[in-house]
Amino acid sequence: MTQAKKTLKERFLHAFLFEILAIGLCAPAAAWAMGKSLFEMGVLTAVIAWIALVWNMIYNAGFDRIENRLGWTRTFRIRVVHAFGFELGLILIVIPLAAWWLSISLWEAFLLDIALVLFYLPYAFFYNLAYDRSRPRVMKWLARGRVEAAPAATSQSPCA
């Protein structure tokens, strides 16, 4: 099966909905589990989502440069190295931030990060599965702006 071509607008909507739903699901559960306020966990999860987005762009650009310079082929092994490197970098950024923001130990922040990863793995799978199934409706919704903006066709006589 070929991969669907996605516009920048669709990619933004996909990522935005992914993060908003994740924060809405994750922040209350984490607040309850950690005994912290919804505000504290909401801000933390939103900041982590933003950091993950920025880190993703930086990491992938750097990895691509290394891959090209060393002549690597995107094998399964390289994909595993890529994924572990991304997660390790994110952990090194997020754990000190979470420990500071929530006034908890680095160990507690590490456990929180593990819990977030365990949440995001199935969440990402099911979110993308649901998105793939609802994509035709999403595309129709995104296209509505183009249809509304298109000039109305006039029924002029060819002789006019």
Side-chain angles (χ1 to χ4, degrees), residues 56-118:
N56 187 299
M57 292 186 298
I58 293 167
Y59 179 79
N60 284 326
F63 196 90
D64 287 349
R65 291 182 91 183
I66 291 169
E67 186 178 49
N68 289 334
R69 181 170 287 152
L70 298 177
W72 291 347
T73 304
R74 290 194 182 194
T75 62
F76 179 78
R77 183 174 167 261
I78 294 297
R79 280 292 181 196
V80 169
V81 168
H82 176 268
F84 274 96
F86 175 81
E87 289 301 328
L88 179 63
L90 193 57
I91 285 170
L92 293 174
I93 298 166
V94 167
I95 289 175
L97 172 70
W100 169 76
W101 178 254
L102 299 174
S103 300
I104 59 177
S105 71
L106 290 172
W107 176 251
E108 290 171 305
F110 175 74
L111 293 177
L112 173 62
D113 192 63
I114 295 301
L116 290 173
V117 168
L118 291 175

Side-chain angles (χ1 to χ4, degrees), residues 3 10 16 24 31 34 37 47-49 52 55 68 91 115 146 152:
Q3 178 68 353
E10 181 187 1
F16 180 77
M34 297 291 295
S37 74
V47 168
I48 290 171
W55 174 238
N68 289 334
I91 285 170
R146 282 181 264 161

Side-chain angles (χ1 to χ4, degrees), residues 26-47:
C26 196
W32 174 79
M34 297 291 295
K36 300 292 181 179
S37 74
L38 183 56
F39 174 78
E40 285 177 299
M41 293 310 296
V43 169
L44 181 62
T45 55
V47 168

